[in-house]
Amino acid sequence: MSDFNNTIKELENEIDKINDDELSKYRIYERTPKAGFAPKNYEEISKIIKESNKNGLKIVGSGGATKLGFGNIPTGYDIIVSSSKFNNTIEYVPEELTISVQSGITISNLQEIVNAKNQFIPIDSIFPNATLGGIIATNTNGILRTSYGSLRDLVLGIKAVDGNGKIVKAGGKVVKNVAGYDLSKVFIGSLGTLGIITEINMRTYPLPEYESTLIIQSNNLDKLRDIVEDIQKYSYPGGLELINSNFGEQLINSEYEWNLLIRYLGHKNSINEQTSKDKKILKKPDGEIQEIDGINSRELWKRYHNILADTYETVIKIMVPITTSTNILKSLNTLQKYSPLIYCEPSLGIIHMQIDSKDKDFGSSEITNMRNEIEKNAGMVIIENTTSTIKKEINSWSNYNNNINIMNQIKNAFDKNNVLSPGRFLGGI
Amino acid sequence: MREDRILSELEELLGNKRIKYEQNTLNEFEVDYLENSKGKALALVLPNSATEISAIVRICNKYKIKYLARGGGTSLSGGSLPLDNCIIIDLSKMNRILEVNFDEQTVLAEPGVINIEITNVVDQKDLLFAPDPSSQHMCTIGGNIAHNAGGAHTIKYGVTTNHVRAVEIVLPNGEITNFGNGLVDGQGYDLLALINGSDGTLGIITKALLRVIPKPASSQTILLVFDRVKDASKTVSDIIRKGILPSALEMMDQIVIRAIEKSEYKVGIPVDAEAALLVEVDGRKTDVSIDVENIIQICNDNNVRTIQRAKDQKHAEKLWAARKSAFEVVGKQNENYIVQDGVIPRTMLPQTLEKIYEIGKKYDLPIANVFHAGDGNLHPLILFNGKIKKEKTNAIDASIEIIKICADAGGSITGEHGIGIEKVELMPYMFNKEDIELMTKIKMIFDPDLQCNPCKVLPSGSKCMELSAKARE
């Protein structure tokens, strides 16, 4: 213990500390770090990591502390390292359609910076103060993934300090780059187990001039599925979300079981033409179609995020073959008694379910049953966030886990003493 | 002898029709696509399945013989050039399309399937496979993944890694495994992304699950001719600045234009023009019209000489065939060439071209330029007479100087052709010692005995340097 205290004292002399009374903000399932730091440069990050290596301490990196609940409970948690002082723009040349930023920049600040030059980055988090580093570490994508792709398509390069205290540069600054091995992508979704991400190079896109959202409501999920199939073929929506009754009620006072939201982005004339056409030619949903456009559409999607942020409790991510999305949604109806918010990207086969699991019977056995059913049919179920009880009882990660041997060796190459984020990742990494 | 024993074990495994070891058969497989380099192979084998490939790899391990995979052999960086007496594992006959799933929008293909076949097989449902390197009628899927192939449409549609959902792979220890699970997202470290662009040095791909996407509702191809390179370059910047994201934006300089206009691919570009741009925009019909209007305006502001709008699909294909023929026509009309593949920030296009022309003057060699202006990926073709040794060394030196410019500008030494053998010594221009050490650690995880496509991508000691130098003499 005194070794620990000496180490912390030594670090405190040089590096900005997080006040002890703020450490509870970084709690991960009943484990609170014993100390926290907000380094301002590479030497400081490296020092924290090297000292931790020497003294057997374990570190978790954090940005906005919005998704610390990801993964399994860490097997060690001594120090939190915050990216709050690493939040500058390094280089932004709009004509290059790329931007380099430090990892602690929040997604809302980042969007502001690129919006000012009529560009945007097609990722979002339900938490506006989520940082880009955290977004990458948790592979958080967003609504526009349907048309713009995921982080894997948008991240060009990453700089980090690895678990050995060394600076790692992966990828580059340009869109076309096949020099060496593409290690930048390996950081995506790595939950901070390979390094503390410090800098990121991202693609930017022209900011669409206008947007509109069609809301198609129905009690007949099969009809909505048919509409999705048609839309995918010709309409190029910017986003496609299928939400359940609980979510629809909160978002748009919907009285229907299912609501399909189709978000269009582009030139105003083009969108008006498309939505008029789609309203006429889409198959009848046995329900209603309405359109919300312009600034009202933007506001709708902000509310979408806010609702999800407010109900962020037990969050389960389900991934299935695209064509089985609606069948899986139907099977989730058995969980209706827990009043879940369910949202699905039907053209990607990704479903999220948010349940307030306090004071309810919804627990490990319900999740395990659901997981077994879905994984029997080529799907995967990951528990992103939940209560301590559930996290202790079942694995956050899906049972699909081959190649653990290779992953262990990769972890070892970046972090030989398992200092960073231990135990949270797949396979106990 | 070790070599005799391995050959007899391989013959036992495959039968005598699927192993070749006569030198006059091996000759064509020992040269790279541009015939600038010659390596050395022990034998060529033709497996039919992952199981056979696994057995071949295990036999190679047993005798410590090196090996590599080969598809169409079209690599422009010597990716399929055998060094150090390799066994060439020829996958060109493992070329079946195993499954097409229109609802999931995926195609499961063996690695020897030719790139264009993927689009052909889904065309009936208005789908396409986006990665379209100019060699797409000859290059194979396995090679596309190994090199993370690009093509003209990467500015909007990305590169091969963005269109692969899963692979089945034989690892260098002989194990057969899958990276990616076919779903859009997964868990764990993204090993699938690691394989894309690894130049076949981490294992041998035996199946690939590819993503296909809906064809755009509408598209318009336009050929723009400029008297001055400066005006063409500025047009490129202005298009991006206007907020237009073209699906393709290609540039050709005068030498390329003249070569095309002398060939069967000619499309009527005036041969005294300094540069031509081929632009394509796609998407909803009205969006396309608006973008085209804006592009025409930008061109007129930049002294465009002629504008040729594709009247229909056939006309568009003709314009594209002209552009894609660039390497072929330049190659046919000149003795030899080296092509480089550097990337620069788009805004540095005009000054980089100037520097390239200066380098050409310095070494007294013509340099033709065709490139993906939309993403800054240059393809300078340095023309020389291979029979004159001095010209060959000058061409190599010129190409290295060009690469240095790209690295110094914060770009990349290779945008899509891969490191292969050709750019191994240039890796330090982009990566420091620690970066290369880390990549070497990754390589050692997969292939600790350095048998899988030896001497490619990473600097790996003096023996490799010697072999590479010898190959390029």
Side-chain angles (χ1 to χ4, degrees):
Chain A
M1 217 6 161
S2 69
D3 265 343
F4 171 82
N5 287 335
N6 287 339
T7 310
I8 299 301
K9 274 206 166 52
E10 218 181 288
L11 291 170
E12 265 175 37
N13 283 337
E14 299 169 34
I15 306 170
D16 290 343
K17 192 169 177 276
I18 294 174
N19 288 334
D20 288 345
D21 55 9
E22 286 178 55
L23 288 176
S24 59
K25 175 177 161 198
Y26 299 100
R27 206 164 71 172
I28 302 177
Y29 300 117
E30 298 166 5
R31 301 193 71 137
T32 309
K34 305 190 194 82
F37 294 96
K40 315 184 271 304
N41 57 44
Y42 281 93
E43 289 75 30
E44 290 183 2
I45 299 178
S46 195
K47 192 159 169 82
I48 298 170
I49 293 178
K50 286 191 172 144
E51 287 300 312
S52 298
N53 265 281
K54 264 202 299 222
N55 296 295
L57 301 180
K58 306 300 178 187
I59 297 173
V60 173
S62 174
T66 54
K67 285 192 177 175
L68 287 174
F70 256 62
N72 290 326
I73 299 175
T75 51
Y77 188 15
D78 300 302
I79 298 176
I80 188 81
V81 172
S82 165
S83 60
S84 57
K85 302 250 160 78
F86 252 81
N87 57 1
N88 293 321
T89 305
I90 299 165
E91 186 182 48
Y92 178 34
V93 181
E95 294 89 335
E96 295 299 339
L97 295 175
T98 60
I99 186 169
S100 293
V101 291
Q102 291 184 325
S103 57
I105 196 166
T106 64
I107 186 65
S108 58
N109 280 350
L110 179 58
Q111 296 289 18
E112 256 174 49
I113 290 167
V114 295
N115 286 170
K117 297 290 180 187
N118 233 16
Q119 293 187 341
F120 84 119
I121 292 180
I123 44 160
D124 48 55
S125 169
I126 61 181
F127 303 106
N129 63 326
T131 62
L132 190 58
I135 281 172
I136 285 170
T138 53
N139 193 21
T140 298
N141 287 281
I143 299 160
L144 299 176
R145 179 179 186 166
T146 302
S147 55
Y148 285 92
S150 67
L151 285 170
R152 208 208 221 213
D153 308 308
L154 303 171
V155 172
L156 301 173
I158 284 185
K159 201 164 164 186
V161 183
D162 72 8
N164 306 320
K166 288 215 178 112
I167 295 179
V168 167
K169 265 190 349 277
K173 266 173 27 177
V174 288
V175 169
K176 295 279 282 291
N177 179 13
V178 294
Y181 299 131
D182 193 358
L183 292 174
S184 66
K185 310 276 194 294
V186 180
F187 276 93
I188 299 172
S190 65
L191 219 48
T193 54
L194 300 178
I196 303 269
I197 297 173
T198 50
E199 290 178 32
I200 301 144
N201 304 325
M202 296 283 291
R203 280 195 74 149
T204 61
Y205 281 81
L207 184 65
E209 173 193 285
Y210 190 73
E211 70 169 88
S212 182
T213 302
L214 281 192
I215 303 173
I216 306 178
Q217 300 166 290
S218 178
N219 293 327
N220 188 332
L221 195 50
D222 289 331
K223 296 263 183 207
L224 293 180
R225 180 203 58 214
D226 292 344
I227 289 174
V228 167
E229 274 170 25
D230 281 345
I231 286 283
Q232 273 174 211
K233 284 179 199 148
Y234 66 81
S235 205
Y236 316 107
L240 202 54
E241 299 281 321
L242 191 48
I243 68 177
N244 74 342
S245 51
N246 298 321
F247 196 172
E249 199 189 344
Q250 290 189 46
L251 183 65
I252 45 175
N253 288 327
S254 172
E255 288 169 357
Y256 288 88
E257 273 180 44
W258 295 100
N259 309 270
L260 178 64
L261 309 172
I262 310 173
R263 189 176 186 187
Y264 299 83
L265 303 166
H267 296 291
K268 190 161 195 258
N269 289 350
S270 166
I271 290 179
N272 287 340
E273 238 180 61
Q274 190 70 60
T275 55
S276 305
K277 186 168 148 202
D278 285 350
K279 277 190 285 197
K280 282 198 208 96
I281 70 171
L282 286 178
K283 297 194 176 84
K284 298 289 162 263
D286 284 353
E288 287 178 39
I289 302 183
Q290 50 169 306
E291 181 174 359
I292 295 185
D293 65 347
I295 193 161
N296 293 326
S297 174
R298 263 195 269 277
E299 290 303 309
L300 173 77
W301 291 101
K302 276 202 195 119
R303 277 202 323 275
Y304 189 98
H305 280 150
N306 291 340
I307 292 167
L308 291 175
D310 287 342
T311 54
Y312 193 80
E313 227 278 333
T314 288
V315 181
I316 298 174
K317 179 179 180 185
I318 301 167
M319 293 164 283
V320 295
I322 290 167
T323 45
T324 64
S325 304
T326 43
N327 284 342
I328 301 292
L329 286 176
K330 282 182 196 164
S331 74
L332 293 177
N333 259 338
T334 54
L335 301 172
Q336 189 49 30
K337 59 181 183 273
Y338 303 111
S339 312
L341 289 194
I342 298 177
Y343 59 105
C344 165
E345 281 98 45
S347 58
L348 301 174
I350 298 177
I351 298 168
H352 278 90
M353 188 165 73
Q354 296 196 177
I355 288 184
D356 178 357
S357 49
K358 293 192 282 287
D359 307 320
K360 292 228 171 80
D361 299 325
F362 184 77
S364 307
S365 56
E366 277 75 20
I367 299 177
T368 304
N369 289 341
M370 176 183 64
R371 176 180 261 169
N372 288 342
E373 215 30 62
I374 288 175
E375 294 187 356
K376 251 192 338 213
N377 295 302
M380 284 170 67
V381 173
I382 292 176
I383 306 167
E384 292 189 352
N385 196 72
T386 187
T387 62
S388 298
T389 311
I390 295 175
K391 277 276 169 171
K392 278 190 217 154
E393 288 170 0
I394 51 179
N395 197 340
S396 298
W397 302 106
S398 160
N399 292 317
Y400 179 91
N401 65 355
N402 58 3
N403 303 307
I404 293 295
N405 180 27
I406 296 175
M407 293 193 198
N408 263 318
Q409 292 183 75
I410 290 176
K411 164 71 172 179
N412 202 267
F414 282 83
D415 182 17
K416 62 181 185 285
N417 291 326
N418 199 19
V419 167
L420 298 177
S421 219
R424 293 168 82 201
F425 202 57
L426 182 65
I429 290 172
Chain B
M1 255 188 92
R2 196 169 54 127
E3 275 100 13
D4 292 330
R5 290 208 299 274
I6 188 177
L7 291 179
S8 87
E9 267 199 55
L10 288 171
E11 191 161 324
E12 206 181 303
L13 174 73
L14 301 168
N16 63 5
K17 293 221 164 58
R18 292 194 287 136
I19 176 170
K20 321 266 180 214
Y21 39 79
E22 288 86 19
Q23 189 54 48
N24 52 8
T25 309
L26 292 179
N27 278 336
E28 76 170 273
F29 297 98
E30 286 179 342
V31 288
D32 70 327
Y33 184 67
L34 296 179
E35 297 185 9
N36 288 333
S37 304
K38 190 169 190 345
K40 186 83 187 73
L42 177 61
L44 179 129
V45 293
L46 290 146
N48 282 333
S49 67
T51 315
E52 282 187 346
I53 293 171
S54 168
I56 293 166
V57 166
R58 286 182 208 270
I59 292 171
C60 288
N61 289 343
K62 182 169 157 191
Y63 292 99
K64 298 253 178 287
I65 297 282
K66 309 209 194 308
Y67 57 89
L68 59 77
R70 178 193 174 92
T74 58
S75 169
L76 290 168
S77 59
S80 54
L81 187 76
L83 290 176
D84 206 1
N85 228 19
C86 271
I87 302 285
I88 301 174
I89 303 177
D90 186 341
L91 300 175
S92 60
K93 305 286 183 282
M94 264 178 76
N95 58 359
R96 293 176 299 164
I97 290 181
L98 300 171
E99 191 186 302
V100 180
N101 190 327
F102 292 112
D103 296 323
E104 291 284 329
Q105 295 184 346
T106 55
V107 175
L108 181 65
E110 289 187 322
V113 171
I114 291 180
N115 175 289
I116 192 71
E117 291 303 322
I118 306 293
T119 291
N120 287 347
V121 83
V122 295
D123 186 58
Q124 56 179 281
K125 295 269 188 173
D126 288 331
L127 297 165
L128 61 88
F129 182 55
D132 62 343
S134 298
S135 55
Q136 66 182 151
H137 294 269
M138 294 182 295
C139 61
T140 62
I141 291 299
N144 291 160
I145 296 172
H147 275 330
N148 195 10
H153 290 88
T154 61
I155 179 177
K156 187 166 179 186
Y157 292 103
V159 287
T160 299
T161 192
N162 307 116
H163 300 273
V164 181
R165 283 271 170 79
V167 294
E168 179 188 80
I169 185 169
V170 173
L171 298 177
N173 63 5
E175 188 191 325
I176 303 174
T177 188
N178 293 311
F179 292 156
N181 53 14
L183 301 175
V184 153
D185 248 349
Q187 60 181 14
Y189 299 133
D190 196 345
L191 300 179
L192 179 60
L194 196 52
I195 287 301
N196 278 275
S198 59
D199 281 7
T201 59
L202 303 180
I204 298 184
I205 292 163
T206 51
K207 284 197 185 86
L209 185 67
L210 306 169
R211 168 189 170 223
V212 288
I213 57 176
K215 271 196 219 165
S218 167
S219 94
Q220 180 64 58
T221 301
I222 320 172
L223 178 67
L224 309 161
V225 180
F226 295 84
D227 283 323
R228 290 178 312 179
V229 166
K230 225 165 48 154
D231 292 327
S233 300
K234 183 149 181 303
T235 301
V236 168
S237 292
D238 288 350
I239 287 174
I240 303 299
R241 210 176 277 129
K242 183 74 185 170
I244 300 168
L245 188 68
S247 46
L249 183 48
E250 303 283 285
M251 187 146 138
M252 295 162 277
D253 76 356
Q254 194 172 75
I255 301 184
V256 173
I257 290 169
R258 286 181 175 179
I260 292 173
E261 290 302 310
K262 252 205 239 168
S263 77
E264 75 254 42
Y265 297 102
K266 62 182 182 221
V267 285
I269 309 173
V271 294
D272 59 339
E274 276 191 2
L277 289 182
L278 192 61
V279 190
E280 186 191 89
V281 281
D282 71 19
R284 286 189 284 259
K285 199 149 174 235
T286 308
D287 285 321
V288 167
S289 308
I290 296 173
D291 283 345
V292 168
E293 244 178 73
N294 286 327
I295 289 170
I296 304 291
Q297 181 61 52
I298 289 168
C299 290
N300 287 327
D301 292 342
N302 284 302
N303 310 310
V304 70
R305 178 164 159 179
T306 61
I307 298 176
Q308 196 187 135
R309 253 194 251 222
K311 293 189 285 289
D312 51 31
Q313 178 66 10
K314 212 158 156 236
H315 189 182
E317 278 167 15
K318 192 158 178 252
L319 294 174
W320 274 106
R323 156 60 189 93
K324 290 188 177 187
S325 75
F327 289 12
E328 181 198 323
V329 300
V330 167
K332 274 200 183 128
Q333 294 169 26
N334 292 277
E335 287 292 333
N336 299 89
Y337 69 88
I338 288 178
V339 60
Q340 276 298 354
D341 173 47
V343 184
I344 47 155
R346 199 185 300 103
T347 46
M348 300 188 65
L349 218 55
Q351 61 264 59
T352 305
L353 276 180
E354 280 288 329
K355 288 193 182 141
I356 291 176
Y357 290 134
E358 275 163 34
I359 290 171
K361 283 202 196 94
K362 174 177 169 188
Y363 290 95
D364 196 24
L365 293 170
I367 302 184
N369 285 281
V370 58
F371 45 96
H372 311 292
D375 51 40
N377 189 184
L378 312 169
H379 293 310
L381 296 114
I382 302 134
L383 310 174
F384 66 99
N385 185 340
K387 297 194 193 79
I388 302 171
K389 189 161 179 188
K390 186 80 174 107
E391 282 201 17
K392 184 169 183 178
T393 43
N394 276 350
I396 293 174
D397 291 342
S399 75
I400 292 174
E401 274 196 44
I402 293 172
I403 287 301
K404 272 196 187 147
I405 297 174
C406 295
D408 289 342
S412 172
I413 58 179
T414 173
E416 60 190 357
H417 294 174
I419 296 289
I421 167 185
E422 198 198 32
K423 303 181 199 70
V424 171
E425 294 118 59
L426 307 178
M427 286 284 276
Y429 291 166
M430 258 189 91
F431 301 106
N432 64 25
K433 194 161 140 278
E434 273 99 14
D435 299 332
I436 293 184
E437 257 168 36
L438 180 60
M439 285 193 246
T440 306
K441 274 192 201 164
I442 301 294
K443 164 72 170 174
M444 299 293 282
I445 289 170
F446 287 82
D447 183 25
D449 296 325
L450 302 181
Q451 285 175 253
C452 185
N453 208 2
C455 303
K456 309 285 173 72
V457 185
L458 296 172
S460 30
S462 55
K463 182 175 187 202
C464 275
M465 278 178 60
E466 231 178 86
L467 289 170
S468 303
K470 188 153 182 263
R472 282 178 286 171
E473 265 162 25

